[in-house]
Amino acid sequence: MFLALRELLFARTRVLLMGSVIALISVLMVILSGLSSGLVEDGVSGLQRTPVQAFAFSEGTKTDSAFSRSVVTQEQADTWAARPDVDDAELMGNTIVNAHTGGGTAIDLTVFGVTPGSFLEPAVGEGAALSSPRDVILSTSARDEGVVVGDTVVLDRIGTELTVVGFTEDKRTFGHVDIAYVPLRTWQEINTGLPAGSTIDPRVYTEASVVAIRGANDALPDLAAGDAAARTAGMTLEESFDASPGYTAEMMTMSMIIAFLYAISALVVGAFFSIWTVQRMRELAVLRAVGASTGYLLRDSLMQAVVILVGSVTTGVLVGLGLGSALDGTGMPFSLKAGPITQGAILLIVLGLVGAGLAVLRITRINPLSALGENR
C-alpha cells in the first residue's frame, strides 16, 4: 500500500517544514566543514606539504608551540641521517616575525630556514630557487599583500633585508601566517634577534628548531630508536600539527561544534518522526488489522525517512556549496573539501535514520484491535 510514501504527497506542509530544517542543518554542516578545513589549511598547510614523515624536537619540549621552543643541533641531525631507516635528515628553522616591504606594507611571516637545494626547499611556481644568502621564497598567498618578485622584505627590529626571488606553487602557511623560506644560515642569524651585521657566536650556525626526517622509501622510521640515539623527541608529521600555535584548541572547538550539530540533527529527526508516528497510529493499526506485518510497517516508515533525509540533505549541501563558494578566497580561513563534506552528509543521513528508527519502533506495539473499536 506504501502508506508512508503516499503520505508524503498529502502532508506536503509537514514534509516541507521538516525538510527545510534538515536542509538548514546540512547547510550549517557544509559551512562548518569549510571553516574546519580552512583552519587546518591556514594553520599547518606548510607542514602538510613538507615532504617528511617526522620531525625530531629537543628532549622534553612541550607539544604546544614546540617549533618555537625546540633547539636541536647538527650533531643530532647527523645521528638521524646515519640511521638505516632514514633516507635524509636536515636541520630546519622555524620563527614567526613581523616585517614590511620596501613600499611600507606590513606583513607577518613564519620564516622556515632550509638548506638550499635540499628536499626541504619548496618547488617554485613563479620566480627562481634560493641561490644567495638574502634570497627568500614566499607562499603564493603572500601575493595578496601586494608582494611581487623582486620586492625587498625588511624584518622589523633587526633590519635584515631579504629579496623575494619566487613564490611557492601552492599556499603554505603556519600558525595562520604566510611562510617565507630562507637559507638555513640566514635563519640562524635572524633567530638570534641581533641587528643585521652583528657579530654572531659560531655555535649559532650549528643549531635549528627541528630535524626534518624523510624515512627510507617514504616510510615512517623507528622514532623510539632514533630518539634514543640522538637524544630527541620525535613526532610524526600529523602529530607535529599540534605544535602549531593554537591548532589543538581550534580543532577541539570545531570538533565539539560539529559533534553537537550531528547530535541535534538526530534528535530533531527523531522527534519529528516520533510525533508523526503517534499521529498515524490509527492508520497503522488498520494496516496491521488487514494483515500488514510489523516488518512491512517498519520498512515503509524508514523508506519515508530515507526519502526526506536524502532529499533534504542533498538540497542543503548544494545550497551550502553555493554559499561556501562565495566565502572561498576571502580573508576568512575557509576551504571546501569534497571528502569532509561527503562524510558529513552521509553521517547526517545515517544519524537521521537512527533517530527515525528509534521513533518508529513504537509501531511494533500497535494493537490491531484498536482499529476495530476496542476502545469503544
Side-chain angles (χ1 to χ4, degrees):
M1 294 183 187
F2 303 105
L3 173 66
L5 294 180
R6 292 165 58 192
E7 191 175 20
L8 294 178
L9 298 176
F10 291 97
R12 289 186 294 271
T13 302
R14 280 182 294 179
V15 172
L16 288 174
L17 178 61
M18 183 57 192
S20 298
V21 173
I22 298 174
L24 287 174
I25 292 175
S26 301
V27 171
L28 185 57
M29 179 275 295
V30 173
I31 299 301
L32 289 177
S33 176
L35 286 172
S36 181
S37 298
L39 286 172
V40 171
E41 184 169 317
D42 220 41
V44 296
S45 61
L47 297 180
Q48 288 177 322
R49 289 156 186 159
T50 300
V52 300
Q53 279 68 56
F55 289 105
F57 298 80
S58 56
E59 281 186 309
T61 302
K62 292 180 62 176
T63 300
D64 184 36
S65 299
F67 282 95
S68 60
R69 302 175 190 272
S70 173
V71 178
V72 294
T73 65
Q74 183 62 54
E75 180 182 356
Q76 290 172 309
D78 293 339
T79 301
W80 271 104
R83 293 194 55 78
D85 55 355
V86 173
D87 271 349
D88 209 344
E90 293 276 355
L91 288 179
M92 189 181 89
N94 180 303
T95 303
I96 297 179
V97 300
N98 302 120
H100 60 273
T101 64
T105 302
I107 56 174
D108 296 325
L109 298 171
T110 297
V111 182
F112 274 19
V114 300
T115 302
S118 70
F119 69 94
L120 291 176
E121 183 176 352
V124 177
E126 177 187 349
L130 299 174
S131 59
S132 67
R134 290 297 181 261
D135 286 349
V136 59
I137 297 173
L138 298 181
S139 166
T140 186
S141 52
R143 285 184 291 195
D144 296 337
E145 304 291 337
V147 183
V148 297
V149 173
D151 275 357
T152 298
V153 175
V154 183
L155 305 189
D156 294 348
R157 295 189 305 106
I158 62 177
T160 300
E161 295 187 1
L162 304 171
T163 302
V164 179
V165 297
F167 292 97
T168 58
E169 294 177 329
D170 42 29
K171 179 179 178 180
R172 300 200 178 200
T173 54
F174 178 85
H176 306 288
V177 178
D178 293 326
I179 293 177
Y181 293 88
V182 302
L184 179 61
R185 187 177 180 87
T186 301
W187 176 88
Q188 291 164 332
E189 295 171 356
I190 293 171
N191 193 52
T192 64
L194 297 175
S198 300
T199 302
I200 306 295
D201 187 333
R203 289 179 299 178
V204 168
Y205 297 112
T206 65
E207 298 175 342
S209 301
V210 295
V211 179
I213 303 165
R214 185 168 63 175
N217 300 317
D218 292 331
L220 181 68
D222 186 342
L223 296 183
D227 286 338
R231 302 186 308 282
T232 56
M235 294 185 192
T236 65
L237 178 61
E238 290 74 18
E239 290 172 344
S240 73
F241 296 167
D242 292 332
S244 174
Y247 177 83
T248 301
E250 291 171 351
M251 290 301 99
M252 288 178 64
T253 300
M254 292 304 301
S255 297
M256 182 173 293
I257 293 173
I258 293 174
F260 274 108
L261 175 67
Y262 291 139
I264 291 170
S265 174
L267 288 173
V268 168
V269 175
F272 173 80
F273 280 103
S274 180
I275 295 172
W276 200 337
T277 301
V278 170
Q279 293 175 338
R280 298 164 53 213
M281 195 66 73
R282 186 171 296 280
E283 290 83 356
L284 295 174
V286 171
L287 289 177
R288 285 295 305 277
V290 298
S293 66
T294 299
Y296 172 84
L297 295 179
L298 287 173
R299 288 194 301 272
D300 204 36
S301 296
L302 288 177
M303 180 60 69
Q304 184 183 68
V306 168
V307 171
I308 294 175
L309 285 167
V310 172
S312 301
V313 170
T314 300
T315 302
V317 168
L318 292 176
V319 173
L321 291 174
L323 293 175
S325 62
L327 298 175
D328 209 355
T330 64
M332 182 185 299
F334 191 88
S335 178
L336 293 173
K337 302 289 185 183
I341 293 174
T342 301
Q343 293 173 5
I346 293 173
L347 194 54
L348 282 178
I349 293 173
V350 171
L351 290 176
L353 284 176
V354 170
L358 293 176
V360 300
L361 279 179
R362 67 174 61 239
I363 293 174
T364 61
R365 298 193 294 271
I366 292 176
N367 182 5
L369 293 177
S370 63
L372 303 177
E374 176 194 52
N375 296 327
R376 294 192 178 93

